[in-house]
């Protein structure tokens, strides 16, 4: 509550969240592999919510070998959400960098499929895994 200067913890995430996507139907955040005493994850996570309160991890992307060798030289492995003129597009674009299988790639997610998954998983919290792998 901003008026009370109080924050509620919604869900634990594995790293810093630099990027977000927000539309009328769904919101997403992505974590960044930013090594520190607190952030020990070697994976980028993508979280999604229908209501800004219940968050479900929909992807976990391990960093690629090049990123693991050069974390102090180049950008951290990340997933960014490009801006869109459409307030609720049929497809949601993401740009992945420094991640296995999706490094320097644009990934497009069908919004209808994502919404159906989130609605069916509401409260279930099962993760969709990258190609069935962790």
């Amino acid at each position: 509550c901003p008026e009370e200067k109080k924050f509620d913890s919604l869900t634990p995430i594995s790293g810093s969240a630099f990027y977000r996507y927000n539309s009328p139907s769904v919101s997403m955040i992505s974590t960044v592999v930013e090594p520190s005493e607190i952030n020990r994850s070697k994976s980028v996570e993508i979280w999604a919510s229908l209501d800004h309160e219940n968050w479900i991890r929909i992807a976990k992307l391990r960093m690629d070998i090049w990123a693991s060798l050069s974390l102090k030289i180049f950008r951290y492995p990340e997933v960014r959400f490009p801006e869109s003129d459409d307030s609720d597009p049929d497809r949601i674009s993401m740009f992945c960098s420094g991640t296995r299988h999706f490094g320097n790639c644009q990934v497009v997610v069908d919004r209808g499929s994502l919404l159906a998954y989130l609605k069916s998983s509401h409260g279930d919290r099962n993760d969709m895994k990258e190609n069935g792998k962790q």
Side-chain angles (χ1 to χ4, degrees):
C1 298
E3 300 83 33
E4 299 173 17
K5 296 183 181 177
K6 177 182 158 193
F7 295 95
D8 294 324
S9 176
L10 300 176
T11 193
I13 58 176
S14 68
S16 302
F18 291 166
Y19 302 103
R20 71 165 177 83
Y21 169 85
N22 196 38
S23 76
S25 63
V26 66
S27 296
M28 295 191 296
I29 61 168
S30 64
T31 64
V32 175
V33 177
E34 179 188 28
S36 70
E37 291 291 322
I38 298 168
N39 301 324
R40 298 186 181 270
S41 177
K42 303 253 189 252
S43 298
V44 174
E45 294 180 351
I46 302 171
W47 291 78
S49 175
L50 298 172
D51 61 7
H52 295 115
E53 291 184 23
N54 297 295
W55 291 86
I56 296 172
R57 186 178 70 188
I58 61 169
K60 183 175 182 178
L61 309 172
R62 296 190 66 187
M63 70 177 165
D64 67 22
I65 188 71
W66 300 110
S68 64
L69 296 173
S70 61
L71 279 175
K72 294 183 180 189
I73 300 171
F74 300 110
R75 295 180 65 95
Y76 299 130
E78 61 190 6
V79 173
R80 295 186 307 270
F81 306 100
E83 294 292 323
S84 170
D85 292 337
D86 189 346
S87 68
D88 217 5
D90 290 335
R91 296 185 187 129
I92 302 168
S93 295
M94 298 175 246
F95 184 78
C96 306
S97 61
T99 60
R100 288 187 191 173
H101 309 295
F102 300 105
N104 296 323
C105 289
Q106 180 175 352
V107 176
V108 179
V109 176
D110 177 72
R111 183 177 53 86
S113 298
L114 176 60
L115 293 176
Y117 174 77
L118 291 172
K119 288 174 184 174
S120 71
S121 299
H122 189 71
D124 188 25
R125 301 231 180 230
N126 286 335
D127 299 334
M128 289 178 15
K129 296 187 176 61
E130 166 203 348
N131 296 334
K133 304 175 204 169
Q134 268 295 343

